[in-house]
Amino acid sequence: MNKKELRNMKLLEATDELIKLAKEDVPVRDKRYYTEQLIYQRGIYLRAEVENNILKVAFYLAEYLSMDCRKPVYTLYIDKKNDVFKGYDYRTKKWSDSMLDKTIFSKWLY
């Protein structure tokens, strides 16, 4: 599983249904002692597809989907046959071999 092959795969864009769900996911203000943040009921959305025997899992953030942004923030490529995975972060434009709990999604993963 090389990066060039993965880069040439079809991009998993968000569907109309995902965007509709994200727009219904209205954030609630969470006020802490020094900080204030918006908390979404779901916050993160996923879409998956198999292409060339590689499972592609695209991750979308509710705040981007609610603004009609269809591009994922992260895509995970899993090759079960060879027992390898690789991720691509669209915000930093970098490839990663890190586990998901070490990526930008650590606040949503327990």
Side-chain angles (χ1 to χ4, degrees):
M1 184 166 71
N2 62 35
K3 295 176 188 175
K4 186 176 182 179
E5 174 190 350
L6 299 177
R7 218 178 286 124
N8 290 331
M9 287 185 169
K10 184 183 91 176
L11 177 68
L12 275 178
E13 291 189 348
T15 62
D16 292 335
E17 182 181 345
L18 281 179
I19 290 176
K20 181 179 178 242
L21 283 172
K23 286 183 178 183
E24 293 171 357
D25 192 1
V26 179
V28 177
R29 289 197 187 280
D30 181 27
K31 294 183 180 183
R32 303 263 168 121
Y33 191 65
Y34 286 108
T35 63
E36 181 178 319
Q37 62 183 11
L38 296 175
I39 304 293
Y40 289 87
Q41 179 183 354
R42 293 178 204 92
I44 190 166
Y45 295 82
L46 305 173
R47 184 170 175 223
E49 178 180 276
V50 176
E51 184 178 333
N52 300 333
N53 292 324
I54 295 174
L55 175 64
K56 299 184 302 185
V57 183
F59 295 81
Y60 310 90
L61 296 179
E63 58 215 56
Y64 295 152
L65 287 175
S66 63
M67 294 184 291
D68 293 325
C69 180
R70 293 184 178 271
K71 191 173 178 181
V73 291
Y74 193 85
T75 301
L76 180 65
Y77 300 91
I78 303 170
D79 185 353
K80 184 177 179 183
K81 181 180 176 187
N82 297 318
D83 198 28
V84 294
F85 67 91
K86 193 169 288 295
Y88 187 76
D89 187 338
Y90 290 94
R91 298 193 303 180
T92 61
K93 296 182 178 18
K94 291 186 180 179
W95 290 95
S96 171
D97 294 326
S98 300
M99 298 295 281
L100 281 178
D101 61 343
K102 307 285 189 257
T103 64
I104 59 172
F105 301 107
S106 60
K107 74 178 188 178
W108 287 285
L109 301 173
Y110 307 113

